[in-house]
Amino acid sequence: MKILFYASFRSIVGQKEYHPGFTEPVTIKQCIESVVGRFPQLKQHWLDQKGELLPHVHVSLNRVDVDLLEIGYDTLVHPGDELDFFPPIQGG
């Protein structure tokens, strides 16, 4: 499994990707917990006071927005999958 960080998230963690080393499928929620455990500086940018992912954090699994997946953050991520984390996109 490969986790990719984009834009400000990449700057915060200081690297482009992270390989958590899971050998069995885990949920997207569990991946988020693993990432925040490894990079605690992301917590304030990703999670609210209840530990829920903030709505401005965009996540995709194998290039599909998690919000479009049937069971969302309970979807299993397998060792060969790619999970992407994007900060809010601004433009003008």
Side-chain angles (χ1 to χ4, degrees):
M1 169 187 320
K2 178 168 48 172
I3 295 174
L4 294 170
F5 305 104
Y6 293 87
S8 61
F9 295 156
R10 184 179 295 173
S11 297
I12 291 167
V13 301
Q15 60 193 68
K16 178 181 180 176
E17 59 185 65
Y18 167 59
H19 299 268
F22 293 117
T23 57
E24 298 292 325
V26 295
T27 66
I28 295 171
K29 285 180 185 178
Q30 290 171 310
C31 288
I32 292 168
E33 291 170 3
S34 173
V35 171
V36 171
R38 171 66 178 86
F39 303 102
Q41 64 272 34
L42 283 174
K43 186 175 182 177
Q44 68 182 11
H45 301 278
W46 281 15
L47 305 177
D48 65 17
Q49 292 181 345
K50 295 179 184 178
E52 298 293 324
L53 193 67
L54 293 166
H56 69 262
V57 179
H58 299 280
V59 183
S60 67
L61 174 62
N62 298 322
R63 306 281 186 223
V64 176
D65 191 302
V66 172
D67 293 330
L68 300 176
L69 300 173
E70 187 174 329
I71 56 175
Y73 291 92
D74 291 321
T75 302
L76 289 178
V77 183
H78 296 87
D81 289 340
E82 182 176 293
L83 199 57
D84 303 304
F85 290 89
F86 300 91
I89 298 173
Q90 299 178 17

